[in-house]
Amino acid sequence: QVQLVESGGGLVQPGGSLRLSCASSEIQFSRYGMGWYRQAPGNQRELVARISTGGSASNADSVKGRFTISRDNAKNMVYLQMDSLKPEDTAVYYCNRGWAPLFAWGQGTTVTVSS
């Protein structure tokens, strides 16, 4: 089964930063627009940021100016740099195709923003 592996989450204080990584040994990310999603307890999974195959990025309004998605096709990696984190950013973060999820969801990586 195709697998996505997310990493980099953790506990951080409000205002702090984290960098999430997404990897796969089966999926060639360069073929797809990729995205980061998150799911907070009791909420539906939502798209946070996505990046096209050409590198054009867009963010959800809730994270604009704070989160930056990027990709490294040579390393087959997708990243999410998260700055100025807020408690409401607490969630499990997942990567998948950015324009309609296509792949089986990975386990995600948990981000907790708390003092």
Side-chain angles (χ1 to χ4, degrees):
Q1 184 176 358
V2 173
Q3 288 191 332
L4 292 160
V5 181
E6 301 91 353
S7 62
L11 173 63
V12 63
Q13 292 186 341
S17 298
L18 284 173
R19 187 194 195 205
L20 307 184
S21 299
C22 174
S24 175
S25 58
E26 296 96 351
I27 304 168
Q28 186 176 352
F29 288 156
S30 61
R31 298 181 58 192
Y32 303 96
M34 294 297 295
W36 281 96
Y37 300 76
R38 68 185 180 187
Q39 186 168 19
N43 290 359
Q44 290 188 337
R45 191 173 288 155
E46 62 174 351
L47 178 67
V48 172
R50 59 187 179 187
I51 185 167
S52 71
T53 54
S56 296
S58 60
N59 289 357
D61 288 343
S62 58
V63 304
K64 277 183 179 178
R66 301 189 298 119
F67 289 12
T68 304
I69 187 171
S70 63
R71 64 194 305 157
D72 186 333
N73 289 337
K75 295 182 179 180
N76 203 42
M77 298 288 291
V78 179
Y79 305 101
L80 185 68
Q81 177 67 41
M82 304 188 297
D83 299 316
S84 302
L85 282 160
K86 303 176 180 180
E88 51 264 43
D89 295 319
T90 295
V92 181
Y93 284 72
Y94 305 87
C95 63
N96 211 307
R97 193 176 68 168
W99 280 258
L102 175 66
F103 312 115
W105 294 99
Q107 291 188 330
T109 186
T110 300
V111 173
T112 303
V113 184
S114 175
S115 55

